[in-house]
Amino acid sequence: MKPIIKIQNLSKRYRLGGNGGARYATLRESLSGMMRAPLAILGRKGRASRPELWALKDINLEIMPGEVIGIIGSNGAGKSTLLKVISRVTEPTEGRVELYGRIGSLLEVGTGFHPELTGRENVYLNGAILGMKKEEIERKFNDIVRFAEVERFLDTPIKRYSSGMYVRLAFAVAAHLEPDVLLVDEVLSVGDMAFQKKCLQKISQMRSHSNAILIVSHNMIAVRAICEKVILLSQGQLAAAGRADEIVPLYEKLMLENVKTETVADEREEGMGIIRVKSVRLVNRAGTEARAFDTGESMKVVVEYEARQRAVSVVAYAAIRRPDGFICMGTSTRLEGVVLPPLEGPGVVELEISELLVIPGYYIMDVTFYDENFEFRTYFLGRKQISFQINSSLPSLDDKYGVFYQKHKWNIDDVNVNSPAHR
Amino acid sequence: MGLTSNENVSALEPAVTKQTATITEASPIRHTSYQVPDNPLVVIAPTKSWVALNLGDLLTYRELLYFLIWRDVKVRYKQTALGAAWAIIQPLFTMLIFTLFFGRLAGISSEGIPYPIFAYAGLLPWTFFSNAISNGSSSLIGDSRLITKVYFPRMVIPIAAVGAGLVDFVIAFIILVGLMAYYGIGLSLNILMLPVLVLLLTLLATGVAMWMSALNLKYRDVRYALPFLIQLWMFASPIIYPASLVPERWKWALALNPLTGIIEGFRASLLGYRNFDWKTLTISAVITLIILIYSAYTFRRMEKGFADIV
C-alpha cells in the first residue's frame, strides 16, 4: 500500500534571537547587522555565533491511509513543529514532505473566531479559514449547530458566549471538516470532562471520514484509546515508533525518570492573573510541611491565594495527577456543593485528604481556581502545580498493581492478613 | 444528537464503521475508500531563492478572501455610535477644514472649479488609499493567530484589508455625487476612465499594503514610521493643490509619485473640466505595476518565515 504522507529527512531549524526573547527584529538591529554582514561573510563568524535549535532533525516517516497516529514526547520535543510543517504553516529547513491527500488541521480550536461576530457568522468565517467552501459550510451548517448545542444563541455575538459554548462551537466547525488527513493538536484538553468525551467520540467518528489522523497529545489515556500507532519524539528526533501499548509505557517511564531527576521543589504557576495562587503547602499528619508522604497517610493541602480583583462564582479545584497528566483523584467545591463567597484580596482555602490511597511514585498536586460560568478568556483564573512523592512500606508496590492502593484485607480460611498500609 | 452524522455514514460505509468499533484489534488490512493518487498533491520542501508568485493558489482561496473582507466590513463599525457614517465623516470634515484653510485663507488655486468639490474629489481616493495602507500594514499582525495555525496564501490578509476599504470608498462616493449636484457639475465622457482609475488605485494600495504588512511583521518600526509617511505622502500628492501649481522643473518629481496621475485622473474623470494628462497617468500606471510586482515577490519571499517571527 502507498503512504498518504511521506516524510523524508525532515529537519527544521530555529534561530534563536539574542535579544531577550523578542523574536521580531527592529530595523536598527537589521541595519547594524547588515553593516557587520560583509565582515561576517569573510570571517564566517556572524552566523555561527547565533544560537540555533533543531526543532526537528532527520525525521523519516510514512503514514498509511487509515492510520490513526499519536505523536507524543515531552515539551519542546518537536511535536507541534512537525504538525506545523505538515500543515504548511511553517517551512522546513531541510528535507521534504509529500502529501497525497487534503490536509485539515485542528491545531487550535476557534482559530479566527471574531468576538464581535455572531455564532452564525463565525461558523462561516471559521469554516472558510479551515478551508471549507461556502457551499460545504451551508450544507453542514445545521449539523455543526446541533453538535455545538448553541441553536438559541446563533445570532448572539460570541463575546457573550460562555467559554463552554465557545469551545463547543469552535470544535463543532473543525470537527465537520472532512479532510483526507486530519491533524489534531491538544484539542482534547479543552472544555469539561463531558465535552472531552464528546470530542473523543467525534474523533472516533471522523476516523471513518478521514483517511489518516495525526494526534499530538499529552493525554496518554486518549492516545491509548484512539491511536493504534504512536511516534515518540525526543529533542526533535524520532526516538521510537510502534504500537501504542508498546510506546506509551516507554514514554511514561521516561517522564517519571525526568520527574525523579528534577528537584522535588518543582512548582509551576499559570493562569489569567485574576486570582494568584501564592502558595500550595502540603501538610502531613504531624502538622509539618512535607513533600513525601506514605500511602494511606493523611494530607492537608493549604492554598494561599490573592484575588487581585473581586471574583464571583469561583470554584476551587484540586487534583492529584500523575506526571503523564492522568488525574488519579480530583475534587472541586462545585462538585460537593461548597459555595465560595466572592473572593477579594488574600485568603486561604484548605483541603483535607484523610487517606492518600495511591501507589508509590511521583505526583503533582494541581490547584486551580476557575469561574463557575466558564467565562470566556478567564477559564483558569489561577493555577499552581506542585510535585510530591508517595512512598510505601511495601517495596514492590508499583504501577503493576494499578493506580490505587485501596484499604483492603485478604481473608484466607481462618487466617487474617491485614494490609500493612492501613493498620 | 451528535450521532446523526455517524448514522448517515454507517449507512453508506458499513465496512469502515465496523472497523471503528474494533480499534484495539489492530488489523493490518484496512478498507478505505480513499484512492491514494500516484503523484503528491503537495510537496513541502524548503523554497529556493527563486520564488514563484503562485497566483493560482490565490484563486483557490478566493472564498476566504471574500469572507475576510466581509468580516472586516462587519466588524469595523461594530460598537460605534455613528456606524458607517464614519466613512463619510472622515473625508467630509477633512474637506471642510481644507476648504477653510487652503481654499479660503491660503487661496490655493483649484483650477477654476469650487474648492470644496476640488478637494473632495482628491480626498475621496486619498482617504481610501491612506486607510487601506494603514489597515493593510497592521493586518498581518492582527491576524497573527491565523498565520501560526492554518495554511492559506498569506497575501489574502492584506488584500482583504484593502478590499474592505472599498466599501467605505463607495459610501463616501455618495457625498461626491451630492456635491456635484449642488455645484451643478455634469458628467462627461471622461467618467468612462473611472473604473480604470479605481482599479489602479486599488492595485497601488494593495502593493503598498502587502509590502508594509510583511515589513511590519518583521520590523515593528513600521508602526511608528507609517503614520508619518502617510502624512508626508499626502502633501506630496496633488490633493489640496492642483498639479499645475508645481513649478515646471519639479513636475517630474511629482510624476514619480504614482498617486499624482491617479488623483489628477480622478478629478479629470469626475469633474470633466479638463482632459487627462496621459503622460503622467501612464507613468503612474507603470510605477503602480512595478510596486505591485515588487511587493508581491517580496511578500512571497518573506511569507515562509511569517509563522516563525510573529
Side-chain angles (χ1 to χ4, degrees), chain B:
Chain B
M1 278 195 211
L3 285 172
T4 335
S5 58
N6 190 35
E7 280 161 14
N8 292 340
V9 171
S10 54
L12 290 170
E13 296 172 295
V16 178
T17 322
K18 194 182 153 215
Q19 265 185 333
T20 316
T22 56
I23 313 167
T24 43
E25 298 170 23
S27 64
I29 306 153
R30 303 198 65 116
H31 310 273
T32 73
S33 51
Y34 190 67
Q35 205 62 46
V36 178
D38 288 333
N39 296 313
L41 301 183
V42 178
V43 173
I44 303 166
T47 42
K48 305 285 178 284
S49 53
W50 185 85
V51 193
L53 267 187
N54 209 358
L55 291 179
D57 213 13
L58 215 55
L59 206 66
T60 319
Y61 281 86
R62 61 184 184 279
E63 283 195 353
L64 178 60
L65 176 64
Y66 163 76
F67 275 114
L68 287 178
I69 292 177
W70 171 81
R71 174 197 68 176
D72 285 353
V73 171
K74 277 235 157 187
V75 166
R76 180 164 313 158
Y77 298 115
K78 287 238 170 151
Q79 279 214 353
T80 59
L82 296 176
W86 280 111
I88 292 175
I89 291 167
Q90 215 188 341
L92 187 65
F93 278 77
T94 319
M95 180 271 277
L96 290 175
I97 291 163
F98 282 8
T99 304
L100 181 66
F101 284 96
F102 300 113
R104 290 281 156 80
L105 298 178
I108 288 175
S109 149
S110 52
E111 299 185 317
I113 51 167
Y115 191 86
I117 195 162
F118 170 87
Y120 197 86
L123 278 168
L124 183 69
W126 169 255
T127 309
F128 162 70
F129 181 77
S130 66
N131 283 342
I133 62 176
S134 77
N135 291 338
S137 74
S138 59
S139 61
L140 279 181
I141 293 180
D143 278 328
S144 55
R145 284 203 25 196
L146 289 188
I147 293 172
T148 55
K149 297 295 172 194
V150 202
Y151 171 79
F152 55 89
R154 275 66 174 100
M155 252 181 214
V156 170
I157 293 177
I159 294 175
V162 173
L166 275 173
V167 176
D168 282 1
F169 178 77
V170 170
I171 296 170
F173 207 94
I174 297 164
I175 293 290
L176 184 84
V177 175
L179 279 175
M180 284 169 71
Y182 180 79
Y183 287 105
I185 296 170
L187 292 180
S188 68
L189 273 179
N190 283 1
I191 198 79
L192 294 176
M193 268 298 281
L194 191 66
V196 178
L197 292 165
V198 173
L199 180 71
L200 266 183
L201 183 66
T202 312
L203 291 181
L204 180 62
T206 308
V208 178
M210 267 195 306
W211 189 28
M212 287 295 148
S213 63
L215 274 183
N216 199 7
L217 209 61
K218 192 157 186 204
Y219 307 109
R220 301 294 155 106
D221 305 73
V222 172
R223 197 185 343 181
Y224 305 104
L226 197 69
F228 176 65
L229 194 88
I230 289 176
Q231 216 165 30
L232 283 185
W233 202 337
M234 190 185 90
F235 287 107
S237 309
I239 295 161
I240 53 176
Y241 56 88
S244 58
L245 206 70
V246 176
E248 203 56 44
R249 61 200 178 98
W250 291 112
K251 277 271 162 65
W252 63 271
L254 196 66
L256 282 182
N257 172 5
L259 274 181
T260 302
I262 296 172
I263 287 178
E264 287 281 290
F266 256 80
R267 288 208 184 97
S269 162
L270 289 164
L271 311 177
Y273 66 103
R274 60 172 174 75
N275 288 326
F276 290 108
D277 179 354
W278 291 109
K279 201 175 120 195
T280 313
L281 196 57
T282 310
I283 297 172
S284 295
V286 169
I287 294 179
T288 297
L289 288 180
I290 291 172
I291 290 178
L292 185 70
I293 292 166
Y294 172 77
S295 300
Y297 272 103
T298 309
F299 194 93
R300 276 284 177 203
R301 192 168 47 77
M302 292 175 75
E303 184 182 56
K304 57 176 182 166
F306 283 173
D308 300 334
I309 58 172
V310 157

Side-chain angles (χ1 to χ4, degrees), chain A residues 220-255:
Chain A
M220 290 306 125
I221 309 297
V223 168
R224 268 184 202 261
I226 45 185
C227 309
E228 296 127 40
K229 202 173 152 188
V230 169
I231 288 157
L232 175 62
L233 291 182
S234 172
Q235 292 174 344
Q237 287 174 321
L238 204 136
R243 279 170 40 195
D245 48 3
E246 292 166 3
I247 306 296
V248 171
L250 206 73
Y251 168 71
E252 285 174 340
K253 214 169 180 175
L254 212 83
M255 288 297 285

Side-chain angles (χ1 to χ4, degrees), chain A residues 82-100:
Chain A
L82 181 60
L83 286 201
K84 277 187 177 177
V85 171
I86 297 174
S87 60
R88 299 164 76 193
V89 164
T90 186
E91 195 173 73
T93 312
E94 284 164 17
R96 64 194 258 134
V97 180
E98 288 175 6
L99 306 175
Y100 293 86

Side-chain angles (χ1 to χ4, degrees), chain A residues 12 129 138 178 253 265 299 350 353:
Chain A
K12 169 79 185 174
I129 286 169
E138 269 159 8
E178 283 164 9
K253 214 169 180 175
M299 177 195 264
E350 282 184 11
I353 300 169

